[in-house]
Amino acid sequence: MSSNKYTIKGKADYSYLTKKDTGFGKEEYSVTLRLSKDDAKEHIKIANQIISKVIAEEHKAHPSTKQLTRAPFPFKDDGEMVTVKIHSKFKPTIWDKNQKRLGPDVHVWKDSTMWVNYEPRGYNKSIGIGCTLYISGIQIDTLVQGSSLNSECPFPIRENKQEATV
């Protein structure tokens, strides 16, 4: 319901920017950023304004006094910090701080700091009324790299035999 783009800066808690997240039956590129409450304030306000517009449209289309269901909010209060999930069905273009595109062999990992351009869109679906933040571009400020090999178990597969204890 909005075609405006915004930029948010944070540190990645979870990063599926170079490879799709396929957990829980979904297939999407996403990043969960951690940022201060002060830095998140403006973006939370934008998301709430978009949700308010969707609620107003729903009440106008279907006048009633019944309480409308709210979908999960993209921002989550984590004490002193806020996390925000931003995603895309399409692989985002990723740039470094020198305005060079990152190659396909560069894997962006947790603790990378980045600027994310996003477009917020309101919705009214069966899960409720909410706002989704869609990635439109990323610029890495501080890159933490890894590879899929980093997460492989270093131990061999073992038989499940009970050993006698002395």
Side-chain angles (χ1 to χ4, degrees):
M1 307 258 162
S2 168
S3 61
N4 294 325
K5 292 186 180 178
Y6 302 92
T7 303
I8 192 167
K9 183 181 182 186
K11 184 181 267 193
D13 267 353
Y14 299 98
S15 176
Y16 292 94
L17 297 173
T18 48
K19 186 177 178 185
K20 283 184 180 180
D21 179 4
T22 57
F24 304 105
K26 62 186 170 195
E27 285 197 25
E28 66 183 16
Y29 296 94
S30 67
V31 63
T32 301
L33 294 179
R34 187 173 1 105
L35 58 153
S36 73
K37 285 185 177 184
D38 195 46
D39 290 341
K41 198 181 304 182
E42 169 193 350
H43 303 282
I44 291 169
K45 182 179 176 184
I46 290 164
N48 278 322
Q49 287 172 340
I50 289 169
I51 292 168
S52 293
K53 286 180 186 175
V54 176
I55 290 170
E57 289 169 4
E58 177 62 21
H59 281 304
K60 187 176 180 180
H62 307 285
S64 79
T65 57
K66 94 174 188 177
Q67 184 73 12
L68 298 173
T69 303
R70 293 281 297 256
F73 197 56
F75 294 88
K76 182 179 175 188
D77 188 326
D78 274 348
E80 294 184 24
M81 303 296 280
V82 171
T83 59
V84 56
K85 184 167 184 185
I86 312 170
H87 59 90
S88 174
K89 291 198 182 289
F90 307 101
K91 188 170 185 168
T93 302
I94 305 172
W95 305 87
D96 69 12
K97 61 184 168 185
N98 298 317
Q99 298 180 331
K100 290 182 69 179
R101 276 189 167 181
L102 291 186
D105 57 330
V106 177
H107 297 279
V108 180
W109 276 50
K110 177 182 177 165
D111 292 330
S112 293
T113 56
M114 63 190 72
W115 296 91
V116 178
N117 286 342
Y118 71 91
E119 184 176 343
R121 291 192 204 140
Y123 62 84
N124 185 359
K125 298 181 180 178
S126 60
I127 62 168
I129 293 176
C131 179
T132 299
L133 309 180
Y134 291 100
I135 297 169
S136 60
I138 295 173
Q139 184 177 28
I140 302 296
D141 192 27
T142 305
L143 176 64
V144 176
Q145 286 193 75
S147 74
S148 59
L149 298 177
N150 289 355
S151 61
E152 287 184 11
C153 179
F155 299 100
I157 297 174
R158 301 180 193 271
E159 294 286 326
N160 189 8
K161 296 179 184 175
Q162 288 193 351
E163 295 182 21
T165 55
V166 181

